[in-house]
Amino acid sequence: MPQCDRRHVRRPNRLPLAYGQLSFGLEAQGNWANFKGSNTNLAFVGVQDETKVDAFGLFTGRVSYAWNNVLLYMKGGAAVVRDKYQVFDFATGLNIDNGSETRWGGAVGTGLEFDFAPNWSIGFEHDHLFMGHRDVDFFFSTGCVGGPPGALGGTARIGQDVDIGLVRVNYRWGGAPAARY
């Protein structure tokens, strides 16, 4: 999954911690995605609902604690996702309704990062996005029985939470060859 992010970390002057250093930072991250989920429609027999998240972004603050070559951090802030919804006939695959939206919510996460070579690190992160419940309008698709194409097919209340696991390899440009956190 392609990713683009920017981090800014502010480290206070030598805080009196026994083992390590505390730091604070801001992070903006944007990703393309292909997260899909589906379920059987409970209102209509033979109909399936599908949700696809094709992009998401995180805007978070971060508190980190570093010791030697290890960085442990927690983060929290805002999240945004781009959702696409489809309702289709299970037997024929015919698209009945579709809808889409951009949804905002909250995000929390935690991660661990290790320096393994000069300027190189590997990180592991888990984020949970709280996207809440929203009413989404669905519109009839072209060639669908039940209404003219583009006509309002109905409204559904959709709840969404997203869990993201991330493994990344980082290279830090410039700085000391054996930089530590």
Side-chain angles (χ1 to χ4, degrees), residues 67-101:
W67 64 100
N68 197 10
N69 66 332
V70 179
L71 179 73
L72 176 66
Y73 60 90
M74 294 184 304
K75 63 189 220 177
V80 60
V81 297
R82 177 70 185 151
D83 288 326
K84 293 183 178 179
Y85 308 105
Q86 286 187 358
V87 178
F88 59 93
D89 182 71
F90 191 72
T92 65
L94 178 66
N95 188 348
I96 300 169
D97 281 337
N98 55 50
S100 63
E101 69 171 333

Side-chain angles (χ1 to χ4, degrees), residues 14-59:
R14 301 286 181 212
L15 290 176
L17 295 174
Y19 302 103
Q21 185 178 7
L22 188 65
S23 64
F24 305 91
L26 299 174
E27 182 176 59
Q29 174 182 340
N31 297 71
W32 290 281
N34 189 21
F35 305 151
K36 288 185 181 180
S38 62
N39 64 291
T40 301
N41 189 305
L42 298 177
F44 301 100
V45 175
V47 174
Q48 187 157 345
D49 302 324
E50 181 180 273
T51 300
K52 178 183 176 187
V53 176
D54 62 6
F56 68 92
L58 302 174
F59 305 93

Side-chain angles (χ1 to χ4, degrees), residues 4-180:
C4 177
D5 71 11
R6 175 70 180 135
R7 294 184 197 136
H8 176 74
V9 176
R10 169 83 176 134
R11 293 189 173 127
N13 293 334
R14 301 286 181 212
L15 290 176
L17 295 174
Y19 302 103
Q21 185 178 7
L22 188 65
S23 64
F24 305 91
L26 299 174
E27 182 176 59
Q29 174 182 340
N31 297 71
W32 290 281
N34 189 21
F35 305 151
K36 288 185 181 180
S38 62
N39 64 291
T40 301
N41 189 305
L42 298 177
F44 301 100
V45 175
V47 174
Q48 187 157 345
D49 302 324
E50 181 180 273
T51 300
K52 178 183 176 187
V53 176
D54 62 6
F56 68 92
L58 302 174
F59 305 93
T60 56
R62 187 166 94 170
V63 177
S64 307
Y65 182 77
W67 64 100
N68 197 10
N69 66 332
V70 179
L71 179 73
L72 176 66
Y73 60 90
M74 294 184 304
K75 63 189 220 177
V80 60
V81 297
R82 177 70 185 151
D83 288 326
K84 293 183 178 179
Y85 308 105
Q86 286 187 358
V87 178
F88 59 93
D89 182 71
F90 191 72
T92 65
L94 178 66
N95 188 348
I96 300 169
D97 281 337
N98 55 50
S100 63
E101 69 171 333
T102 299
R103 186 185 292 226
W104 285 86
V108 295
T110 185
L112 189 64
E113 198 165 316
F114 302 94
D115 270 345
F116 64 87
N119 290 348
W120 287 93
S121 65
I122 186 167
F124 306 92
E125 183 175 315
H126 175 262
D127 297 308
H128 183 81
L129 284 52
F130 300 90
M131 305 314 292
H133 288 80
R134 300 230 344 222
D135 291 331
V136 178
D137 291 332
F138 282 79
F139 299 92
F140 286 116
S141 300
T142 305
C144 177
V145 177
L152 181 64
T155 301
R157 183 140 182 93
I158 299 175
Q160 182 180 45
D161 285 337
V162 179
D163 283 292
I164 302 167
L166 177 68
V167 177
R168 66 173 170 246
V169 176
N170 304 308
Y171 181 78
R172 287 183 298 283
W173 298 97
R180 294 197 176 190

